C-alpha cells in the first residue's frame, strides 16, 4: 500500500473511532476495542509518525485515545 493511502486510511479509522465514542457512546464496546487495536497495529506496522503525518485534527483525536 502506498504511503498516502496508508495515512488516508489511518485518518479515516481514527475518525471512525471518535464517532463510535462521541456519537454512539460505545467507548467500552468490543467494536471500539477492535478498532483501537487495528489503529495501533497500522501505526506500528507502517511506522507512522503520527505527529508529522496525520491531519492536525486527527492527531488531536489520536492523542485523546492513545496517549
Amino acid at each position: 500500500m502506498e504511503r498516502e493511502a496508508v495515512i488516508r486510511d489511518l485518518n479515516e479509522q481514527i475518525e471512525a473511532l471518535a464517532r463510535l465514542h462521541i456519537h454512539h457512546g460505545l467507548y467500552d464496546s468490543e467494536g471500539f476495542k477492535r478498532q483501537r487495536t487495528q489503529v495501533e497495529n497500522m501505526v506500528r506496522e507502517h511506522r507512522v509518525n503520527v505527529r508529522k503525518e496525520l491531519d492536525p485534527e486527527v492527531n488531536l483525536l489520536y492523542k485523546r485515545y492513545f496517549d
Side-chain angles (χ1 to χ4, degrees):
M1 194 182 282
E2 67 180 69
R3 190 71 175 174
E4 292 172 4
V6 168
I7 300 303
R8 186 174 43 251
D9 188 36
L10 191 56
N11 280 319
E12 291 171 1
Q13 287 191 32
I14 293 170
E15 289 173 340
L17 190 68
R19 279 191 300 279
L20 284 173
H21 177 220
I22 296 167
H23 293 291
H24 304 291
L26 298 173
Y27 187 78
D28 291 327
S29 72
E30 195 60 41
F32 183 89
K33 292 173 186 172
R34 196 173 31 252
Q35 182 79 13
R36 189 169 188 261
T37 301
Q38 187 174 352
V39 169
E40 289 174 327
N41 290 340
M42 273 190 78
V43 168
R44 185 175 34 257
E45 180 182 323
H46 296 283
R47 296 181 180 170
V48 176
N49 183 335
V50 294
R51 295 184 181 192
K52 292 183 179 180
E53 295 184 89
L54 293 179
D55 291 339
E57 296 86 11
V58 176
N59 188 24
L60 292 174
L61 293 172
Y62 182 85
K63 286 179 185 178
R64 178 178 187 175
Y65 294 111
F66 296 96
D67 281 346

